[in-house]
Short mmCIF file of all heavy atoms in Angstrom, two decimals:
data_model
loop_
_atom_site.label_atom_id
_atom_site.label_comp_id
_atom_site.label_asym_id
_atom_site.label_seq_id
_atom_site.Cartn_x
_atom_site.Cartn_y
_atom_site.Cartn_z
N LYS A 7 54.13 0.46 -45.23
CA LYS A 7 53.49 -0.64 -44.51
C LYS A 7 52.52 -0.08 -43.49
O LYS A 7 52.90 0.74 -42.66
CB LYS A 7 54.52 -1.52 -43.81
CG LYS A 7 55.41 -2.26 -44.80
CD LYS A 7 56.38 -3.15 -44.04
CE LYS A 7 57.27 -3.91 -45.04
NZ LYS A 7 58.22 -4.80 -44.36
N VAL A 8 51.31 -0.52 -43.49
CA VAL A 8 50.27 -0.05 -42.60
C VAL A 8 49.82 -1.20 -41.72
O VAL A 8 49.54 -2.29 -42.24
CB VAL A 8 49.08 0.52 -43.37
CG1 VAL A 8 47.98 0.99 -42.41
CG2 VAL A 8 49.52 1.65 -44.28
N SER A 9 49.84 -0.97 -40.40
CA SER A 9 49.41 -2.02 -39.46
C SER A 9 47.91 -2.17 -39.54
O SER A 9 47.18 -1.17 -39.62
CB SER A 9 49.82 -1.65 -38.03
OG SER A 9 51.23 -1.54 -37.95
N HIS A 10 47.51 -3.40 -39.46
CA HIS A 10 46.09 -3.68 -39.48
C HIS A 10 45.59 -3.77 -38.06
O HIS A 10 45.88 -4.72 -37.35
CB HIS A 10 45.81 -4.99 -40.23
CG HIS A 10 46.25 -4.93 -41.69
ND1 HIS A 10 45.51 -4.28 -42.67
CD2 HIS A 10 47.35 -5.43 -42.31
CE1 HIS A 10 46.13 -4.40 -43.85
NE2 HIS A 10 47.28 -5.10 -43.63
N ILE A 11 44.94 -2.71 -37.59
CA ILE A 11 44.45 -2.64 -36.22
C ILE A 11 42.95 -2.81 -36.25
O ILE A 11 42.25 -2.09 -36.96
CB ILE A 11 44.81 -1.30 -35.57
CG1 ILE A 11 46.33 -1.10 -35.59
CG2 ILE A 11 44.26 -1.21 -34.15
CD1 ILE A 11 46.76 0.26 -35.11
N SER A 12 42.48 -3.83 -35.44
CA SER A 12 41.04 -4.08 -35.41
C SER A 12 40.34 -3.03 -34.56
O SER A 12 40.94 -2.43 -33.67
CB SER A 12 40.76 -5.50 -34.87
OG SER A 12 41.19 -5.58 -33.53
N SER A 13 39.10 -2.85 -34.77
CA SER A 13 38.31 -1.88 -34.02
C SER A 13 37.79 -2.42 -32.70
O SER A 13 37.24 -1.69 -31.90
CB SER A 13 37.13 -1.41 -34.87
OG SER A 13 36.32 -2.52 -35.21
N GLU A 14 37.95 -3.72 -32.43
CA GLU A 14 37.48 -4.32 -31.20
C GLU A 14 38.44 -3.99 -30.06
O GLU A 14 39.65 -3.93 -30.24
CB GLU A 14 37.37 -5.83 -31.36
CG GLU A 14 36.31 -6.25 -32.36
CD GLU A 14 36.21 -7.76 -32.47
OE1 GLU A 14 37.04 -8.43 -31.77
OE2 GLU A 14 35.35 -8.24 -33.17
N ALA A 15 37.87 -3.76 -28.82
CA ALA A 15 38.70 -3.46 -27.65
C ALA A 15 39.52 -4.68 -27.27
O ALA A 15 39.04 -5.81 -27.32
CB ALA A 15 37.83 -3.03 -26.48
N ILE A 16 40.74 -4.40 -26.93
CA ILE A 16 41.64 -5.51 -26.59
C ILE A 16 41.21 -6.20 -25.31
O ILE A 16 41.24 -7.41 -25.18
CB ILE A 16 43.08 -4.99 -26.47
CG1 ILE A 16 43.52 -4.43 -27.82
CG2 ILE A 16 44.03 -6.08 -26.00
CD1 ILE A 16 44.89 -3.79 -27.78
N PHE A 17 40.82 -5.38 -24.24
CA PHE A 17 40.46 -5.93 -22.93
C PHE A 17 38.93 -5.88 -22.74
O PHE A 17 38.46 -5.63 -21.65
CB PHE A 17 41.15 -5.15 -21.82
CG PHE A 17 42.65 -5.19 -21.94
CD1 PHE A 17 43.33 -4.09 -22.43
CD2 PHE A 17 43.35 -6.33 -21.59
CE1 PHE A 17 44.70 -4.12 -22.55
CE2 PHE A 17 44.72 -6.35 -21.72
CZ PHE A 17 45.42 -5.25 -22.20
N ALA A 18 38.21 -6.10 -23.69
CA ALA A 18 36.75 -6.04 -23.60
C ALA A 18 36.24 -7.20 -22.74
O ALA A 18 36.74 -8.32 -22.84
CB ALA A 18 36.12 -6.10 -24.99
N ILE A 19 35.31 -6.88 -21.82
CA ILE A 19 34.72 -7.91 -20.96
C ILE A 19 33.53 -8.51 -21.70
O ILE A 19 32.65 -7.78 -22.16
CB ILE A 19 34.25 -7.28 -19.64
CG1 ILE A 19 35.46 -6.66 -18.91
CG2 ILE A 19 33.56 -8.32 -18.75
CD1 ILE A 19 35.08 -5.91 -17.69
N PRO A 20 33.52 -9.81 -21.76
CA PRO A 20 32.38 -10.43 -22.48
C PRO A 20 31.07 -10.20 -21.75
O PRO A 20 31.04 -10.16 -20.53
CB PRO A 20 32.77 -11.91 -22.53
CG PRO A 20 33.75 -12.09 -21.42
CD PRO A 20 34.48 -10.80 -21.31
N ALA A 21 30.03 -10.05 -22.42
CA ALA A 21 28.72 -9.78 -21.83
C ALA A 21 28.26 -10.98 -21.02
O ALA A 21 28.52 -12.14 -21.37
CB ALA A 21 27.71 -9.47 -22.93
N MET A 22 27.64 -10.68 -19.80
CA MET A 22 27.14 -11.74 -18.93
C MET A 22 25.88 -12.36 -19.56
O MET A 22 25.04 -11.65 -20.08
CB MET A 22 26.82 -11.17 -17.55
CG MET A 22 26.40 -12.21 -16.53
SD MET A 22 26.09 -11.47 -14.90
CE MET A 22 27.74 -10.99 -14.47
N LYS A 23 25.85 -13.62 -19.36
CA LYS A 23 24.70 -14.33 -19.94
C LYS A 23 23.44 -14.00 -19.16
O LYS A 23 23.49 -13.79 -17.95
CB LYS A 23 24.96 -15.83 -19.93
CG LYS A 23 26.13 -16.22 -20.84
CD LYS A 23 26.35 -17.72 -20.81
CE LYS A 23 27.52 -18.10 -21.73
NZ LYS A 23 27.76 -19.55 -21.71
N PRO A 24 22.31 -13.97 -19.79
CA PRO A 24 21.04 -13.63 -19.11
C PRO A 24 20.70 -14.56 -17.96
O PRO A 24 20.15 -14.14 -16.94
CB PRO A 24 20.00 -13.74 -20.24
CG PRO A 24 20.78 -13.50 -21.49
CD PRO A 24 22.14 -14.11 -21.25
N ALA A 25 21.11 -15.84 -18.07
CA ALA A 25 20.78 -16.78 -16.99
C ALA A 25 21.52 -16.42 -15.70
O ALA A 25 20.97 -16.49 -14.60
CB ALA A 25 21.14 -18.20 -17.44
N LYS A 26 22.78 -15.99 -15.85
CA LYS A 26 23.55 -15.61 -14.68
C LYS A 26 23.00 -14.35 -14.04
O LYS A 26 22.95 -14.22 -12.80
CB LYS A 26 25.01 -15.39 -15.05
CG LYS A 26 25.74 -16.67 -15.44
CD LYS A 26 27.20 -16.38 -15.75
CE LYS A 26 27.96 -17.66 -16.09
NZ LYS A 26 29.37 -17.40 -16.39
N VAL A 27 22.57 -13.41 -14.89
CA VAL A 27 21.99 -12.18 -14.36
C VAL A 27 20.72 -12.49 -13.58
O VAL A 27 20.50 -11.98 -12.46
CB VAL A 27 21.70 -11.19 -15.49
CG1 VAL A 27 20.94 -9.98 -14.98
CG2 VAL A 27 22.99 -10.78 -16.16
N LEU A 28 19.91 -13.35 -14.11
CA LEU A 28 18.67 -13.70 -13.46
C LEU A 28 18.94 -14.42 -12.15
O LEU A 28 18.30 -14.15 -11.12
CB LEU A 28 17.83 -14.59 -14.40
CG LEU A 28 16.47 -15.03 -13.86
CD1 LEU A 28 15.58 -13.82 -13.58
CD2 LEU A 28 15.77 -15.97 -14.86
N PHE A 29 19.93 -15.34 -12.17
CA PHE A 29 20.26 -16.08 -10.95
C PHE A 29 20.78 -15.12 -9.87
O PHE A 29 20.41 -15.23 -8.69
CB PHE A 29 21.34 -17.13 -11.28
CG PHE A 29 21.78 -17.91 -10.09
CD1 PHE A 29 20.97 -18.91 -9.53
CD2 PHE A 29 23.02 -17.65 -9.50
CE1 PHE A 29 21.40 -19.60 -8.42
CE2 PHE A 29 23.43 -18.35 -8.40
CZ PHE A 29 22.62 -19.34 -7.84
N SER A 30 21.57 -14.15 -10.28
CA SER A 30 22.11 -13.18 -9.32
C SER A 30 21.00 -12.34 -8.71
O SER A 30 21.00 -12.07 -7.48
CB SER A 30 23.13 -12.27 -10.01
OG SER A 30 24.21 -13.03 -10.50
N LEU A 31 20.07 -11.93 -9.53
CA LEU A 31 18.97 -11.13 -9.01
C LEU A 31 18.14 -11.92 -8.02
O LEU A 31 17.69 -11.41 -6.99
CB LEU A 31 18.10 -10.64 -10.17
CG LEU A 31 18.75 -9.60 -11.10
CD1 LEU A 31 17.83 -9.31 -12.29
CD2 LEU A 31 19.02 -8.32 -10.33
N ILE A 32 17.93 -13.23 -8.32
CA ILE A 32 17.14 -14.06 -7.43
C ILE A 32 17.85 -14.22 -6.08
O ILE A 32 17.23 -14.14 -5.02
CB ILE A 32 16.87 -15.43 -8.09
CG1 ILE A 32 15.94 -15.25 -9.31
CG2 ILE A 32 16.23 -16.40 -7.08
CD1 ILE A 32 15.78 -16.52 -10.15
N VAL A 33 19.18 -14.46 -6.13
CA VAL A 33 19.94 -14.63 -4.89
C VAL A 33 19.88 -13.35 -4.05
O VAL A 33 19.68 -13.40 -2.84
CB VAL A 33 21.39 -15.03 -5.20
CG1 VAL A 33 22.25 -14.97 -3.93
CG2 VAL A 33 21.44 -16.41 -5.80
N CYS A 34 20.05 -12.21 -4.69
CA CYS A 34 20.00 -10.94 -3.96
C CYS A 34 18.62 -10.72 -3.34
O CYS A 34 18.51 -10.26 -2.20
CB CYS A 34 20.33 -9.78 -4.91
SG CYS A 34 22.07 -9.77 -5.44
N PHE A 35 17.59 -11.09 -4.09
CA PHE A 35 16.24 -10.92 -3.57
C PHE A 35 16.01 -11.81 -2.37
O PHE A 35 15.42 -11.39 -1.35
CB PHE A 35 15.23 -11.22 -4.69
CG PHE A 35 13.80 -11.05 -4.30
CD1 PHE A 35 13.26 -9.79 -4.10
CD2 PHE A 35 12.99 -12.17 -4.08
CE1 PHE A 35 11.94 -9.65 -3.71
CE2 PHE A 35 11.67 -12.01 -3.71
CZ PHE A 35 11.13 -10.76 -3.51
N LEU A 36 16.52 -13.06 -2.45
CA LEU A 36 16.37 -13.99 -1.33
C LEU A 36 17.13 -13.50 -0.11
O LEU A 36 16.66 -13.62 1.03
CB LEU A 36 16.86 -15.38 -1.74
CG LEU A 36 15.98 -16.11 -2.77
CD1 LEU A 36 16.61 -17.42 -3.20
CD2 LEU A 36 14.58 -16.36 -2.23
N LEU A 37 18.33 -12.94 -0.32
CA LEU A 37 19.11 -12.42 0.80
C LEU A 37 18.40 -11.26 1.47
O LEU A 37 18.39 -11.14 2.70
CB LEU A 37 20.51 -12.00 0.33
CG LEU A 37 21.46 -13.13 -0.05
CD1 LEU A 37 22.77 -12.56 -0.63
CD2 LEU A 37 21.75 -14.02 1.14
N ILE A 38 17.78 -10.42 0.65
CA ILE A 38 17.05 -9.28 1.21
C ILE A 38 15.87 -9.76 2.03
O ILE A 38 15.60 -9.29 3.14
CB ILE A 38 16.61 -8.34 0.08
CG1 ILE A 38 17.84 -7.65 -0.55
CG2 ILE A 38 15.65 -7.26 0.61
CD1 ILE A 38 17.52 -6.88 -1.81
N LEU A 39 15.14 -10.76 1.49
CA LEU A 39 14.00 -11.29 2.22
C LEU A 39 14.44 -11.96 3.51
O LEU A 39 13.81 -11.82 4.57
CB LEU A 39 13.24 -12.31 1.32
CG LEU A 39 12.46 -11.72 0.15
CD1 LEU A 39 11.83 -12.86 -0.67
CD2 LEU A 39 11.36 -10.78 0.64
N SER A 40 15.57 -12.70 3.43
CA SER A 40 16.08 -13.37 4.63
C SER A 40 16.49 -12.35 5.68
O SER A 40 16.25 -12.55 6.89
CB SER A 40 17.27 -14.25 4.26
OG SER A 40 17.86 -14.81 5.41
N ASP A 41 17.09 -11.24 5.24
CA ASP A 41 17.51 -10.23 6.20
C ASP A 41 16.30 -9.53 6.81
O ASP A 41 16.31 -9.21 8.01
CB ASP A 41 18.41 -9.22 5.49
CG ASP A 41 19.01 -8.22 6.45
OD1 ASP A 41 19.56 -8.65 7.51
OD2 ASP A 41 18.94 -7.01 6.19
N ILE A 42 15.27 -9.33 6.00
CA ILE A 42 14.08 -8.67 6.53
C ILE A 42 13.37 -9.56 7.53
O ILE A 42 12.92 -9.11 8.59
CB ILE A 42 13.14 -8.27 5.37
CG1 ILE A 42 13.80 -7.17 4.51
CG2 ILE A 42 11.79 -7.79 5.89
CD1 ILE A 42 13.03 -6.85 3.23
N ASN A 43 13.25 -10.85 7.22
CA ASN A 43 12.48 -11.75 8.06
C ASN A 43 13.29 -12.33 9.23
O ASN A 43 12.75 -12.50 10.34
CB ASN A 43 11.92 -12.90 7.21
CG ASN A 43 10.87 -12.40 6.19
OD1 ASN A 43 10.11 -11.48 6.47
ND2 ASN A 43 10.84 -13.01 5.02
N TYR A 44 14.51 -12.63 8.98
CA TYR A 44 15.29 -13.37 10.00
C TYR A 44 16.52 -12.60 10.52
O TYR A 44 17.30 -13.13 11.31
CB TYR A 44 15.76 -14.71 9.43
CG TYR A 44 14.63 -15.57 8.96
CD1 TYR A 44 14.38 -15.72 7.60
CD2 TYR A 44 13.80 -16.23 9.88
CE1 TYR A 44 13.33 -16.51 7.15
CE2 TYR A 44 12.75 -17.03 9.43
CZ TYR A 44 12.52 -17.16 8.07
OH TYR A 44 11.49 -17.93 7.63
#
Side-chain angles (χ1 to χ4, degrees):
K7 294 182 180 181
V8 179
S9 299
H10 298 282
I11 302 174
S12 64
S13 60
E14 295 181 357
I16 298 175
F17 301 103
I19 300 174
M22 185 178 292
K23 295 180 180 180
K26 292 182 178 180
V27 173
L28 181 62
F29 178 75
S30 298
L31 291 174
I32 292 171
V33 170
C34 291
F35 181 72
L36 290 175
L37 289 174
I38 291 171
L39 289 177
S40 175
D41 186 49
I42 293 172
N43 294 325
Y44 302 105

